[in-house]
Amino acid sequence: GWKVDVDWDGDGVFEGGNEDVSDDVQEITITRGRDAELERVTPGSCELVLRNDTGKYSPARTDGPLYGNLVEARKMRVRSVNPVAKSHFIGYIEDIIPNPNPMEQTCYIRAVDGSAQVLGVKKVRTALFQNFTATILSGDILNRLGWPVPDRALDTGQTTVPYWSVHDQNALDAIQDLEEAEMGLAYIRGD
């Protein structure tokens, strides 16, 4: 019931001969959420262990079918297909580590969701806003990052922030500051 795809060629779609890695998956671990009720949500991650007996997932193997494409920041998706199709994780590869032991021909791949890969890395700068809701300010940050509108859901906020601006702060910290002002919750869903 699981389907795992990696956009190895970076073309923005999960199509092609090697992008469905489901047959090679031996283990999937998805982590997301928070450890305690009042803590902030931590970035989600997904760890895969893939069968690598042919060296397919070894970045240094020049004769491999994925040579040159086994790089960080490739988009990865993990879905269940039974009883209904549902995405459980969409993120970006952070590590690709083949196991050097010839008796365990596997490869470890770690990916992180958009809160770590995009929001936690990119810096934003805004004008000074006066009397806007935390919702509108969060939307402004996402717009500045080019985060697609269909890929977000912002509830109507209750807090009006009297004065607010961001000057070269990473986007995740800025959104979490607004989350705190709103006494709300910001997170990345699995889909």
Side-chain angles (χ1 to χ4, degrees), residues 30-34 40-46 89-90 94 110-121 172-173 176 186-188:
I30 297 173
T31 306
R32 73 165 23 90
R34 52 190 173 180
R40 286 183 172 169
V41 174
T42 59
S45 66
C46 179
F89 180 85
I90 297 175
E94 196 170 67
R110 181 174 189 276
V112 293
D113 70 16
S115 64
Q117 182 66 23
V118 178
L119 299 178
V121 174
L172 181 59
D173 287 343
Q176 286 178 334
Y187 63 95
I188 303 287

Side-chain angles (χ1 to χ4, degrees), residues 129-167:
F129 289 93
Q130 183 178 1
N131 296 324
F132 280 89
T133 65
T135 302
I136 290 181
L137 299 172
S138 295
D140 180 71
I141 291 170
L142 296 173
N143 289 342
R144 290 172 189 279
L145 296 174
W147 195 288
V149 173
D151 291 351
R152 59 175 110 153
L154 299 172
D155 291 337
T156 303
Q158 299 178 19
T159 302
T160 299
V161 180
Y163 293 96
W164 190 79
S165 70
V166 176
H167 184 75

Side-chain angles (χ1 to χ4, degrees), residues 7-21:
D7 181 17
W8 291 121
D9 57 10
D11 66 358
V13 294
F14 296 108
E15 294 178 4
N18 293 308
E19 297 200 343
D20 181 353
V21 301

Side-chain angles (χ1 to χ4, degrees), residues 2-39:
W2 291 94
K3 186 164 172 31
V4 180
D5 301 297
V6 180
D7 181 17
W8 291 121
D9 57 10
D11 66 358
V13 294
F14 296 108
E15 294 178 4
N18 293 308
E19 297 200 343
D20 181 353
V21 301
S22 306
D23 290 342
D24 294 327
V25 174
Q26 294 182 329
E27 186 177 321
I28 302 171
T29 304
I30 297 173
T31 306
R32 73 165 23 90
R34 52 190 173 180
D35 293 330
E37 188 174 341
L38 298 177
E39 289 183 4

Side-chain angles (χ1 to χ4, degrees), residues 66-100:
L66 294 172
Y67 180 72
N69 289 324
L70 295 165
V71 295
E72 294 177 0
R74 294 294 194 211
K75 196 169 188 177
M76 185 175 87
R77 173 179 68 186
V78 177
R79 298 181 296 156
S80 57
V81 291
N82 291 323
V84 294
K86 178 183 176 186
S87 291
H88 295 272
F89 180 85
I90 297 175
Y92 304 89
I93 292 178
E94 196 170 67
D95 292 310
I96 301 173
I97 306 170
N99 188 336

